[in-house]
Amino acid sequence: MDASTINELIAGSVGGAAQVIVGQPLDTIKTRAQVAPKGMFKGPMDILVQTIRKEGFFALYKGMASPLIGIAGVNSLLFAAYGVSRRIISPFPQLSLKEIAAAGAMAGAANAILASPVEMFKVRMQGQYGAATDKRLHVVVSDMWSHWGFRKGIMRGYWVTVAREIPAYAGFYTAFEFTKRKFSKTYGPQIPVWALLTSGATGGIGYWLACYPLDVVKSRVQLRTTPPTGTPVQYIGHEIRMIVSESGVSGLFRGLSPSLLRSIPAAASTFAAFELTREYLREYTGI
């Protein structure tokens, strides 16, 4: 592994930790909007109020341990895979936006390997509403392993996570690079931190707009008491039909508003932390 890839792994870990800490409360609201029984909540604001009232403020951070523990691996893999994908697509540093989208899609597919179990445990923690029977993370992990094993338990929802991550990171990196390049025309290659934050936020919005219905499907599949059956195409299609029959087409976008709100600070902090850490490492190592 070359030094530039190691730098990307380290910077990705720092960026991922920033993302989890900043974005977890709105992520919890988003997940509950997607998976809560119909009629349990009136909307995102009601989820926020009821969660704090019944479970306390820190319930908004339910499920954070899973991504925080796994985020170093997940984001390290993501940013490293993106760097490698860029170099596979073109030997030149300045890629077109189409090439950026392709590299992002490749990185997203690789990222799903680690993202799937991290997301699954996070969703199952967030899908608990403060009852006496709520389980701690280690119990959730143990139950999924003992009842269903690795593929149907730990990696549940892997293929729908792959299906989500490919368009998501194509949109993420394309929106980020497009915005960053616009700022670069005004400020040069070293854009101000606020412009970097804005570019990251735009990338986060691009991420959710590119994949949101598949994220709803993923959350529901991962929260079910039994694993999905049939091929990935069959069970993804079945879940989409179920959502539409229950809630109409709008059901595919439940929780989108907190996701978009979350993406602004979370993605901004991710990219800012990643870029600043990578610049520091570049100066420190000379690579």
Side-chain angles (χ1 to χ4, degrees), residues 7-17 71-72 74-76 79 270 274 277:
N7 286 354
E8 285 163 353
L9 287 169
I10 296 170
S13 299
V14 176
I71 201 67
V74 171
N75 269 44
S76 293
F79 283 107
T270 301
F274 172 77
T277 303

Side-chain angles (χ1 to χ4, degrees), residues 93-118:
Q94 187 74 357
L95 275 64
S96 69
L97 289 178
K98 288 182 180 179
E99 290 172 328
I100 290 290
M106 291 167 63
N111 188 59
I113 296 169
L114 292 181
S116 180
V118 167

Side-chain angles (χ1 to χ4, degrees), residues 47-64:
I47 295 173
L48 174 64
V49 171
Q50 285 202 45
T51 298
I52 294 174
R53 181 186 300 154
K54 296 178 180 178
E55 303 171 62
F57 174 78
F58 288 104
L60 294 171
Y61 287 88
K62 269 189 176 179
M64 188 175 79

Side-chain angles (χ1 to χ4, degrees), residues 44 65 67 69 81 99 104 107 122 128 161 167 198 210-211 214 236 251 261-262 271 273:
I69 292 168
E99 290 172 328
K122 174 179 69 69
Q128 300 181 127
T161 304
T198 302
C211 76
L214 286 168
I236 291 171
L261 287 173
R262 171 186 178 270
F271 267 103

Side-chain angles (χ1 to χ4, degrees), residues 164-192:
R164 182 195 73 166
E165 299 287 77
I166 290 173
Y169 281 107
F172 187 99
Y173 281 108
T174 303
F176 172 73
E177 287 288 343
F178 174 81
T179 309
K180 186 180 174 185
R181 289 177 186 185
K182 289 292 185 183
F183 283 124
S184 295
K185 289 180 179 179
T186 302
Y187 297 102
Q190 297 296 323
I191 64 173

